[in-house]
Amino acid sequence: MPITVSATTRVAAVIGDPVRHSMSPTIHNAAFEACGIDAVYVALSVPDGQAAEAIAAMRTFDWLGLSVTMPHKQGVMAACDELTATAELLGAVNCVFWRDGKIVGDSTDGEGFVRGLDSDLGISPAGLHCALVGAGGAASAVARSLALAGAARVTVINRTAARASALANLAGEIGVVGSMADLSDADLVVNATPIGMGSTDLVDEVPFDVTSLRDDAIVSDLIYHPAETRLLAEARGRGLRAQNGLPMLVHQAVAAFEHWTGVDAPVAAMTEAAQSALGPS
Ligand code: NAP
């Protein structure tokens, strides 16, 4: 049933700047509709430095919850009443929800990655040697979740060595700094750089040499536009199992939806909405 906005309709939103490109309204409104939840999701452009005002507005208007994107992932932290252990460790929040009358900040990207790996490829990171290429925000979230999910080792490979060390520490005892030579030993290799991303001058490049991977390696590219990066085309050309960033995108939204509503998220409807919003690529 299409959402009918009435006096009882709750509001959820993504805050960011820029925010007009966001696919979150499409994904979340499809989810509310599929579950018959009386809520609507909008995109709010909030200038840099005004994250606390957005959290105050959530309190005043009793909004259902917020998604948080750049530049507010750090700024909202101080305004929340509580943070989850993951948000605290990563120093970033991408989802805000109510728990026992308090506003809680969480980071659902890493959980989204692990859930997406399972739902898309049926793979658990437990016991795997995972290699991460890149050491930015997305890599941090993925590293933490891989460690929580029981990965045997997380090798971090990054252009800037200091960031690789910080990220390896974040994964705890199983985190190590590595080089491209370590890829030949990895079960799961994740591209967490923008190399291959559409609408950039990196679109035709690959972040690492696919021929160096094992025959049974799994390749995950966090990029979802284009749907098939050159890396993924080369990996599939070699017969490797591979996925793009869409399952992570959908499943970080699944985790947010479940925080807000307490209802199991309609994963198929959310995936279909995301795919149609992306269009052919
Ligand atoms: P970020 O914080 O800016 O980090 C980017 C990382 O890539 C850094 O480690 C950077 O290395 C490295 N890098 C950038 N350009 C490079 C180049 N030309 N050569 C080698 N390394 C390079 O970005 P992010 O937010 O983590 O995002 C990373 C990727 O994940 C993007 O493609 C983004 O679209 C994707 N992502 C996907 C999802 C999803 O839901 N699927 C969510 C978030 C992000 P230095 O440390 O040396 O600068």
Side-chain angles (χ1 to χ4, degrees):
M1 283 268 294
I3 300 160
T4 304
V5 176
S6 73
T8 59
T9 305
R10 301 284 303 279
V11 173
V14 54
I15 58 165
D17 187 20
V19 80
R20 296 292 161 225
H21 64 288
S22 174
M23 298 208 312
S24 294
T26 305
I27 297 171
H28 283 294
N29 285 318
F32 290 146
E33 192 178 318
C35 293
I37 291 174
D38 185 13
V40 65
Y41 187 107
V42 297
L44 300 175
S45 180
V46 175
D48 197 7
Q50 293 188 28
E53 284 85 341
I55 298 295
M58 173 164 164
R59 247 184 253 284
T60 302
F61 297 118
D62 193 26
W63 288 337
L64 187 60
L66 292 175
S67 308
V68 181
T69 188
M70 298 306 288
H72 302 304
K73 290 188 170 198
Q74 283 75 37
V76 297
M77 292 179 70
C80 291
D81 299 321
E82 290 173 3
L83 298 171
T84 62
T86 298
E88 203 147 55
L89 191 82
L90 297 176
V93 160
N94 77 336
C95 169
V96 177
F97 62 100
W98 289 101
R99 186 170 62 198
D100 301 329
K102 291 188 170 159
I103 290 183
V104 183
D106 191 17
S107 172
T108 64
D109 275 341
E111 182 183 345
F113 174 78
V114 170
R115 285 168 76 157
L117 196 62
D118 179 34
S119 79
D120 191 36
L121 298 177
I123 288 162
S124 159
L128 300 188
H129 173 203
C130 307
L132 281 176
V133 179
S140 307
V142 169
R144 153 95 175 155
S145 289
L146 289 172
L148 285 177
R153 196 182 343 153
V154 174
T155 300
V156 184
I157 300 154
N158 192 49
R159 179 177 63 178
T160 306
R163 286 184 97 185
S165 309
L167 184 40
N169 285 339
L170 206 141
E173 283 178 3
I174 61 157
V176 290
V177 175
S179 70
M180 291 295 180
D182 295 303
L183 293 181
S184 62
D185 182 47
D187 300 297
L188 169 68
V189 183
V190 180
N191 174 35
T193 77
I195 298 172
M197 198 191 278
S199 316
T200 73
D201 55 4
L202 299 170
V203 66
D204 291 323
E205 294 184 27
V206 283
F208 51 83
D209 180 7
V210 169
T211 63
S212 68
L213 306 186
R214 287 197 336 232
D215 288 341
D216 60 350
I218 303 147
V219 175
S220 180
D221 196 336
L222 300 192
I223 294 169
Y224 48 81
H225 183 75
E228 183 162 89
T229 55
R230 191 176 146 198
L231 171 68
L232 290 178
E234 288 184 6
R236 289 181 181 131
R238 254 201 73 186
L240 305 183
R241 285 170 293 171
Q243 68 164 183
N244 68 13
L246 197 72
M248 175 176 171
L249 178 76
V250 169
H251 281 273
Q252 61 76 31
V254 162
F257 179 92
E258 291 176 355
H259 274 321
W260 299 332
T261 66
V263 168
D264 283 348
V267 176
M270 294 168 85
T271 303
E272 198 183 309
Q275 271 162 346
S276 62
L278 274 173
S281 55

